[in-house]
Amino acid sequence: MVIKSVNLETVCGITSKLPENSLPEFAFAGKSNVGKSSLINGLMNRKSLARTSSAPGKTQTINYYNINNEMYFVDLPGYGYATANEKVKAQWGKMIEDYLHQSKKICAVFLLIDIRHAPSENDRIMYDWILDRGYRPIIIATKLDKIKRSQIDKQMKLICDTLDVVDDTIVIPYSSLSKQGREEIYELLETIVQDTI
């Protein structure tokens, strides 16, 4: 997959109406500080188009990136940031639920989990939520460069067991430094887009 053009086309806040797009949408969900912006920037081959932040919980909008005029990457608000107040947490949850419920062009939902730790309660809730909406989440195990190679299989099993993933769930380890996993994600995106044509 060659990235020829990237454009942040739409930004939706809590009161915004979601756009009715004609292109396939790939949604990215994950708790704050899981490396979502780094993954999206890595896939888009851009250094900082998706906003990364040292302060987690900054993404409070749904951001639509038009990729090659062929598809959208949809960056959903990060969830589970401990110091966010309950009202803000509820708003993030409503935005994600509205998106999963209303968008007619979702082809796949990527759920990002930090490979170093067992998925949190919020991660388990999000996984079940995505399943309940009729999608089978693709798990991206981020921060691969933070663990030893010998630990990868054990940590991947921990993620799958903790989430109690359904059979044949795709789990891809990803490093934002080495970009390991990126080609696998590209192949997946291309295959899904071809299947929707």
Side-chain angles (χ1 to χ4, degrees):
M1 180 169 162
V2 179
I3 303 297
K4 297 172 189 162
S5 66
V6 173
N7 177 34
L8 175 56
E9 195 170 281
T10 311
V11 176
C12 292
I14 188 68
T15 58
S16 306
K17 187 175 185 297
L18 296 174
E20 293 184 15
N21 293 320
S22 57
L23 299 174
E25 294 175 6
F26 293 90
F28 294 82
K31 70 182 179 187
S32 301
N33 217 19
V34 75
K36 188 155 52 69
S37 297
S38 297
L39 169 69
I40 292 171
N41 282 324
L43 292 175
M44 295 190 301
N45 226 4
R46 301 292 189 274
K47 277 200 165 51
S48 57
L49 189 57
R51 301 178 193 91
T52 57
S53 173
S54 56
K58 288 291 184 192
T59 306
Q60 298 183 24
T61 52
I62 299 176
N63 300 328
Y64 290 76
Y65 297 92
N66 184 320
I67 312 296
N68 295 343
N69 288 315
E70 292 174 355
M71 67 184 81
Y72 287 97
F73 289 171
V74 182
D75 184 4
L76 300 174
Y79 57 82
Y81 184 47
T83 64
N85 67 41
E86 292 307 315
K87 184 182 175 193
V88 170
K89 287 181 186 175
Q91 286 179 340
W92 293 342
K94 183 175 187 322
M95 289 171 76
I96 296 169
E97 185 172 30
D98 285 350
Y99 172 75
L100 293 175
H101 196 61
Q102 293 175 22
S103 177
K104 297 178 176 63
K105 286 295 179 177
I106 303 173
C107 288
V109 181
F110 292 93
L111 178 60
L112 280 61
I113 305 288
D114 187 331
I115 198 168
R116 298 172 298 176
H117 311 294
S120 67
E121 180 62 21
N122 282 316
D123 290 326
R124 291 199 294 274
I125 290 168
M126 181 55 64
Y127 178 79
D128 290 340
W129 212 5
I130 296 167
L131 273 183
D132 287 345
R133 285 282 169 264
Y135 304 104
R136 182 171 290 193
I138 298 161
I139 310 293
I140 307 294
T142 61
K143 304 188 188 269
L144 179 62
D145 43 276
K146 306 277 191 191
I147 64 169
K148 295 183 177 133
R149 242 173 220 293
S150 59
Q151 296 176 293
I152 294 173
D153 288 345
K154 183 181 106 181
Q155 293 305 111
M156 297 269 281
K157 184 176 186 309
L158 178 64
I159 288 171
C160 292
D161 289 350
T162 306
L163 292 177
D164 194 18
V165 299
V166 294
D167 291 343
D168 301 326
T169 293
I170 297 168
V171 185
I172 302 173
Y174 178 81
S175 164
S176 62
L177 293 182
S178 70
K179 303 297 184 283
Q180 181 179 334
R182 181 165 68 174
E183 289 306 316
E184 207 175 331
I185 297 170
Y186 279 164
E187 285 175 19
L188 203 53
L189 291 167
E190 287 179 328
T191 301
I192 295 169
V193 168
Q194 285 301 316
D195 288 348
T196 61
I197 294 172

